Amino acid sequence: MTDYDKFLPEGLPAWQRPFWDALREHDVRVQKCSGCGAFRHVPKELCNRCHGTEATWSPISGTGRIYTYTVVRRAPTPAYQAEAPYVLVHVEMDEGFRMIGSMTVDDPSAVRIGQDVRITYDDLDADWTILRFAPA
């Protein structure tokens, strides 16, 4: 296990592992419903559009636009506080669904709704890679 002292998923079911395994390869794969074609992120066992259970893990472009964001000045733990202020973004991906993540940026006041962003990868150790967003 890593020395990373921030939150990481625990007790992941096997059917969610493809998302995390793809991140280790610097790729993002999201469930795509085999019945209606809707993307399912976060991974789910049931499509919220057609209620289908079958899905494939499909690659995405990794680009989108900021839907909304917040600047965190008082973090939930000392490990996160060390990075404050930092930006959390809610991104409308080019494929039409939304993802949430932190944004790598020098000046939090420069972040804007509608700003183009792209996914980047933060390799924590051999087991864990997390995604972040950066200006496109």
Side-chain angles (χ1 to χ4, degrees):
M1 190 65 180
T2 180
D3 290 332
Y4 185 75
D5 55 356
K6 297 175 184 150
F7 302 121
L8 286 172
E10 295 179 2
L12 283 173
W15 60 269
Q16 287 186 5
R17 288 297 319 172
F19 174 78
W20 296 97
D21 293 343
L23 288 181
R24 276 200 328 265
E25 302 298 322
H26 289 198
D27 187 22
V28 180
R29 293 191 176 259
V30 174
Q31 283 181 319
K32 187 173 186 180
C33 180
S34 299
C36 70
F39 283 97
R40 298 188 330 212
H41 184 78
V42 295
K44 299 172 187 72
E45 293 181 283
L46 187 68
C47 176
N48 64 347
R49 185 179 291 165
C50 75
H51 305 282
T53 57
E54 299 298 317
T56 58
W57 289 93
S58 300
I60 62 168
S61 65
T63 57
R65 280 151 308 292
I66 296 175
Y67 176 78
T68 193
Y69 69 96
T70 190
V71 178
V72 177
R73 298 183 192 286
R74 291 179 52 181
T77 70
Y80 286 93
Q81 188 61 41
E83 292 184 9
Y86 58 91
V87 179
L88 297 176
V89 292
H90 199 155
V91 175
E92 177 90 22
M93 302 306 294
D94 287 345
E95 291 79 6
F97 65 93
R98 295 184 188 146
M99 296 180 86
I100 297 173
S102 62
M103 184 165 172
T104 305
V105 62
D106 292 330
D107 180 8
S109 68
V111 176
R112 297 286 180 258
I113 291 174
Q115 180 178 355
D116 290 333
V117 294
R118 63 182 171 76
I119 289 176
T120 63
Y121 303 90
D122 190 357
D123 296 314
L124 305 179
D125 64 18
D127 294 321
W128 289 103
T129 298
I130 60 173
L131 67 80
R132 296 184 188 273
F133 291 94

